[in-house]
Amino acid sequence: MFSAEVYQNRRNALKEKVSSGIGLFLGNADASMNYPANTYHFRQDSNFLYFFGLDFPDLAAIIDFESGEEIIFGDDLTIDDIIWTGKQPSIHDRALLVGVKETRPFSKLQEYLSQAFRHGRRIHFTPPYRGEKKMLLEQLLGIRAAIVRDYASTELIKAIIALRSIKEPCEIEELERAASVGYQMHVTAMRMAKPGRFEQTLAGIIEGISLSNGGMVSFPVILSQNGQILHNHDHSQILQAGRLMLCDAGAETPLHYASDHTRTIPIGGKFSQRQKEIYEIVLNANNTAMNAVKPGVTYQQVHLIACKVIAEGLVQLGLMKGNPDEIVNAGAHAMFFPHGLGHMIGLDVHDMEDLGQNLVGYDDETKPISQFGTAYLRMGRKLQPGFCITNEPGIYFIPDLIDLWKSENKHAEFINYAEVDKYCDFGGIRLEDMLLVTETGCNIIGTRPPITVAEVEAIAATE
Ligand code: GLY
Ligand code: MN
Ligand code: MN
């Protein structure tokens, strides 16, 4: 974990932003897979990690925004626990590592909150995303589990977003660490993308790279010849020469900072002319978007810049027709690029998404656009130094979407359906990097995994 001062400073900054009441931070519990004692790898709640750093189950914490009091609630191990899981320092000693001096048994949380209620204190909490936590909140606060999310504190959420959006130097180092594991994962997948191999062999090996560096993957690996299925977790196919393999994968560091890169590789090592033409458009969209990133520009503007590059490229290839600005205004490009340019990244791969996508990605100045495609843009607001974001344009040929739009004659003035039909077996290309917004522009976080046609072909030619 970071030094105690890092967590103390974060909690102090939060106290500056929330004027009254009590912040309640529930850590995560172990989650069962198929019977109670067989659990998934434990993943701590990211807000808990951010303010309290302790990375083990069954903890809660409060911050009294008026008195400044901070308490961690949790239970020391019993001899039965120690037999199965080994000895651990006391909760009190571990709390000191994050600068919290007061600890109490978990069972005292209810009493603490009941007393706070009696004194008319407001309890601020973030929206729960796990069923068990909703039930715990029902028990603690007397709000039905089914509706407890509606009672989450917008004041606390906005304060947390304001802090977590600007990455500290120690966090940027962690993101670089995550990116360097991501680099190894992607270069390994590129080298292994040979005809006759199972997708699942590559997916398993790159997940193992993440685990062998001390962290889980930051989201389930996406690795498939069917890259047109945006979040395709099926790895059951055998790689075939001449097709494309899309790999979207990332690692968590031991402190749980995430990486997220996507690369698209020609199976067998050489792009065909048709693949190269589409690839170069996506790469141009990626590079143009990156060059447009700087403080004061909104990411919505950058997204639309990337859309225009894609529209221009597809017009040049004869897959679209007309004026690229009009194409983007109409949303016709979204048949090929039906998602957003990127999202924030940090302790979560989609950073802070538990707090509400629109509160993270938008504000009073920049509102979400509801048009198909751009509606999926998770991050739209004005960029500031210290923001960490992904840049992930793509072009996909999604047969069902093409057939649907064609049957409706949708955007027929902009889409050359006769040409598009020839690409129904193409798959998809996405190219994703991680960016740190600086005072004047942006930097790629970590070493950029091979991305030009020449770089990818050179790596794919090696074993
Ligand atoms: N890895 C999921 C995404 O790129 O958003
Ligand atoms: Mn990704
Ligand atoms: Mn991403």
Side-chain angles (χ1 to χ4, degrees), residues 85 183 337 347 378 440 445 448:
T85 61
Y183 181 98
F337 178 35
L347 276 168
R378 292 186 162 88
T440 52
I445 298 173
R448 193 182 203 189

Side-chain angles (χ1 to χ4, degrees), residues 181-182 184-185 204-218 250-254:
V181 181
Q184 292 176 47
M185 291 163 74
I205 285 175
I206 68 170
E207 178 152 354
I209 292 173
S210 181
L211 290 169
S212 66
N213 280 278
M216 298 188 286
V217 284
S218 50
E252 279 194 357
T253 63

Side-chain angles (χ1 to χ4, degrees), residues 22-36:
I22 290 168
L24 170 63
F25 299 84
L26 295 179
N28 279 339
D30 269 322
S32 297
M33 289 195 292
N34 51 341
Y35 55 89

Side-chain angles (χ1 to χ4, degrees), residues 260 343 390 392 432:
D260 187 10
H343 46 85
T390 64
E392 49 182 303
E432 177 174 22

Side-chain angles (χ1 to χ4, degrees), residues 22 189 256 329 353 355 359 368 411:
I22 290 168
H256 300 289
N329 275 341
E353 202 160 291
L355 299 177
L359 290 171
H411 297 307

Side-chain angles (χ1 to χ4, degrees), residues 206-254:
I206 68 170
E207 178 152 354
I209 292 173
S210 181
L211 290 169
S212 66
N213 280 278
M216 298 188 286
V217 284
S218 50
F219 58 95
V221 169
I222 297 164
L223 184 148
S224 173
Q225 292 172 113
N226 288 312
Q228 77 283 4
I229 303 171
L230 299 184
H231 280 180
N232 190 354
H233 298 301
D234 180 282
H235 307 135
S236 64
Q237 303 296 306
I238 294 176
L239 299 178
Q240 291 171 25
R243 294 192 65 185
L244 292 170
M245 183 187 87
L246 185 149
C247 177
D248 182 353
E252 279 194 357
T253 63

